[in-house]
Amino acid sequence: MAKIVPRHVIVDGVRLVALTEQEYESLAASRRQFGSHVVRLRMTREALTSLTRAAGAMCALLRAGELPAEASQSAPDAPRQAPKGLLGALEAAVEQAQRVIGKQPDASPGSANGPGRKR
């Protein structure tokens, strides 16, 4: 695409930039694309913020070794569980983040390299 060279005109003493119809349509399309990127970026930031808060709260509880009130510890070596309300919030935040980022290839849970990365 050729670079647009602005043409200046003066109308009623006001200096304006004149565009052809094709240049205007190209500019309008670029603005729409930019707007959609801004919305997607905002959604991504909100999902990441929500996920970070929920994960931080979950980490704090796990470090403190707190058990939920409704959990019964049948054996001393039983794994500790996070409170159901917090777990639900974390799951909701993860689902929101997954919707925002779209379908991603599944990574094995123990993979340190993450999805799609090769050694």
Side-chain angles (χ1 to χ4, degrees):
M1 180 175 197
K3 182 177 178 181
I4 298 174
V5 178
R7 290 171 299 282
H8 299 278
V9 295
I10 298 176
V11 178
D12 294 332
V14 178
R15 186 173 178 180
L16 303 173
V17 175
L19 299 173
T20 65
E21 188 173 343
Q22 183 181 5
E23 291 169 339
Y24 177 79
E25 291 300 325
S26 175
L27 180 63
S30 295
R31 290 186 68 200
R32 284 190 299 272
Q33 289 175 355
F34 180 72
S36 68
H37 288 298
V38 168
V39 169
R40 186 155 175 90
L41 180 61
R42 186 178 307 121
M43 289 172 49
T44 303
R45 183 176 37 241
E46 289 172 1
L48 183 58
T49 299
S50 175
L51 184 57
T52 302
R53 282 187 193 134
M58 183 71 80
C59 288
L61 285 175
L62 291 173
R63 278 193 197 102
E66 293 184 22
L67 290 173
E70 53 274 15
S72 61
Q73 193 168 356
S74 57
D77 60 341
R80 296 177 185 262
Q81 296 179 1
K84 292 187 189 294
L86 184 56
L87 183 57
L90 182 60
E91 288 172 341
V94 168
E95 287 175 13
Q96 178 190 15
Q98 288 173 337
R99 282 192 305 272
V100 169
I101 62 175
K103 179 76 174 144
Q104 298 292 314
D106 293 335
S108 60
S111 173
N113 292 332
R117 295 186 185 168
K118 295 182 181 178
R119 293 182 188 202

